[in-house]
Amino acid sequence: RPANLNGQVFISENGETRLLARAKVTVDGFNIVETDSQGRYQINNIPSGSLTLRVVLAERRLFVNQNII
C-alpha cells in the first residue's frame, strides 16, 4: 500500500542552521517535489520498501542521499 512522506529540510553552515527553501526532494527520481519557504515537503504515493531520500539544491551543488525504510 502506498504511503506519504513529509518532512523539513535544514542546512548547517558555519555553525548556523537554517531552513532550506526551494530544494528538490525525491525518493524515486520521478516524483520530485520542491521545499517551500519553510523547508517543508510532502511526497505522496510512495511504494513500500527500502528507498533513498534525495535532496538536491543544484545552484549550490548540494546533494544529500539518505536511506530510509
Side-chain angles (χ1 to χ4, degrees):
R1 172 173 136 179
N4 299 325
L5 176 69
N6 61 55
Q8 200 167 24
V9 180
F10 297 85
I11 185 169
S12 294
E13 294 180 301
N14 304 321
E16 185 177 314
T17 300
R18 62 181 177 81
L19 299 166
L20 190 57
R22 302 192 63 216
K24 306 291 190 220
V25 182
T26 185
V27 293
D28 60 10
F30 299 104
N31 188 3
I32 301 170
V33 299
E34 186 173 275
T35 58
D36 66 11
S37 63
Q38 297 299 306
R40 293 181 298 237
Y41 67 88
Q42 180 167 330
I43 304 172
N44 298 318
N45 298 316
I46 298 172
S48 61
S50 295
L51 301 165
T52 299
L53 180 69
R54 175 172 282 186
V55 178
V56 176
L57 188 60
E59 63 267 14
R60 301 265 320 266
R61 295 185 181 192
L62 173 66
F63 305 92
V64 177
N65 297 308
Q66 179 66 47
N67 292 330
I68 57 175
I69 297 175

